[in-house]
Amino acid sequence: MRFATRDNGTPDGELLLVSPDMRRCMAAGRDWPNLLALLENWDAALPAVQGIAARLAAGEGAPLDGVPLRAPLPRTWQWLDGSAFPTHGELMQQAFNHAPIETDKPLMYQGMSHQFLAPTEDAPFPDEADGIDFEGEFGVITGAVPMGCPAEEALAHVRLIVLINDWSLRTIAPLEMKTGFGWVQAKPACSVAPFAVTPDMLENAWRDGRVCLPLTVEVNGAWFGSPKGDAMAYGFHELIAHAARTRSLPAGTIIGSGTVSNAEHAEVGSTCISERRAIEKIAHGAFRTPFLRAGDRVRMHAGEQGGPFGAINQRVVRAT
């Protein structure tokens, strides 16, 4: 099944189911008015939403074109972002002379979850001097996960998969990292592609807790990178188990993969400016690619053009 959220003026929007060709939609109805309500009542809601999905597959539904879409989950209880692609960390360490992080556990931080930007709305930032950057990631949305859930049971709690742009402010990040506490100012609201999909929608591209698709980024219409998501050192089942070791996770928890990055970066490119700058520093001794400025446009999609999640396509603007 494929879900989207229509902007109806409420904080959580109206939940829609979307046809396989992504051209038609139907509302989930009063019992499941938004995606968070569905996630919190997944088992009870499943027969009804599967029935709607079947009607869409049979050709019913209203046109989706022109429907104002929010992030599939405009706000939720918890956003936990991992860093599961080792190439990204290795490049950053080499370029900036950082000491390796000595751990045999996944890296993860907790970010803001009360707001996720819509896939086509302007992305506002207060100051270009903060080093505006994007980070292309895949993410999963879980049902309720019990504390201590082992990795071998964790994938059963994955309800939906999403595509995320984890906006980052690179000038601020090193200052916050030096404090030993988590990021706050360096991590503004993320953006999410319009469609959240059940794992079966990815077919063979969902393997071993990984989204095995290229994540393509374009900046101002120019190709920036298309690394694949299967290079995660830890699958989403391992990230979920790590997050749940000492706490339960509420339904609606979003867990991110971290910046998608491949060892073959010379061929496949990158999904964030900071990584490209690190590659430039290693190869040439200096940065060549600037961070974003007001008016720049960033587009992301997975797989074929549009792909299973639709596209994020946003313009950077100065916050007012």
Side-chain angles (χ1 to χ4, degrees), residues 16-312:
L16 305 176
L17 280 91
V18 178
S19 64
D21 61 7
M22 295 180 282
R23 295 181 178 178
R24 289 167 288 107
C25 64
M26 294 181 70
R30 288 185 301 173
D31 289 338
W32 323 112
N34 56 67
L35 185 53
L36 190 56
L38 176 69
L39 290 161
E40 292 176 331
N41 298 277
W42 185 265
D43 291 338
L46 206 53
V49 294
Q50 286 175 332
I52 296 171
R55 292 170 61 190
L56 284 163
E60 295 186 44
L64 182 65
D65 186 43
V67 175
L69 297 180
R70 310 259 308 269
L73 198 53
R75 60 177 182 170
T76 192
W77 299 111
Q78 192 162 226
W79 154 238
L80 302 170
D81 196 15
S83 182
F85 291 87
T87 296
H88 179 71
E90 291 163 4
L91 287 170
M92 304 299 280
Q93 289 166 9
Q94 184 178 352
F96 299 102
N97 199 30
H98 293 163
I101 300 174
E102 302 294 343
T103 181
D104 59 354
K105 296 179 173 61
L107 302 178
M108 186 174 288
Y109 77 93
Q110 185 160 344
M112 65 174 280
S113 60
H114 71 273
Q115 177 191 23
F116 291 90
L117 299 179
T120 58
E121 74 175 293
D122 289 343
F125 301 97
D127 193 340
E128 292 175 352
D130 291 336
I132 304 167
D133 197 1
F134 49 84
E135 293 188 57
E137 307 190 11
F138 294 111
V140 297
I141 306 177
T142 73
V145 181
M147 182 172 63
C149 176
E152 56 268 25
E153 298 177 12
L155 290 184
H157 298 289
V158 173
R159 299 289 181 256
L160 299 166
I161 305 172
V162 291
L163 171 65
I164 300 168
N165 180 0
D166 176 31
W167 293 103
S168 297
L169 299 176
R170 299 300 189 182
T171 304
I172 299 173
L175 304 177
E176 292 193 313
M177 290 172 68
K178 288 179 182 178
T179 68
F181 284 75
W183 286 307
V184 176
Q185 294 181 356
K187 290 292 184 177
C190 299
S191 306
V192 187
F195 306 129
V197 304
T198 49
D200 61 287
M201 296 293 290
L202 298 185
E203 299 179 334
N204 291 333
W206 175 245
R207 300 192 303 273
D208 194 25
R210 293 160 170 83
V211 180
C212 302
L213 291 171
L215 196 167
T216 297
V217 179
E218 299 169 358
V219 179
N220 295 326
W223 179 83
F224 197 90
S226 299
K228 291 185 67 176
D230 51 350
M232 293 171 72
Y234 298 96
F236 279 109
H237 52 304
E238 294 163 305
L239 296 181
I240 293 169
H242 175 77
R245 181 178 177 271
T246 61
R247 63 168 83 174
S248 62
L249 307 180
T253 294
I254 305 177
I255 295 182
S257 66
T259 307
V260 176
S261 178
N262 292 173
E264 305 81 10
H265 50 77
E267 293 79 34
V268 301
S270 300
T271 62
C272 78
I273 294 173
S274 190
E275 180 174 298
R276 177 181 277 191
R277 285 165 61 91
I279 294 166
E280 292 168 345
K281 181 75 178 296
I282 293 166
H284 309 293
F287 305 127
R288 295 182 175 182
T289 302
F291 290 116
L292 298 173
R293 306 190 65 177
D296 287 339
R297 183 169 290 276
V298 179
R299 189 182 191 279
M300 295 184 182
H301 71 270
E304 299 297 326
Q305 190 73 11
F309 311 105
I312 300 171

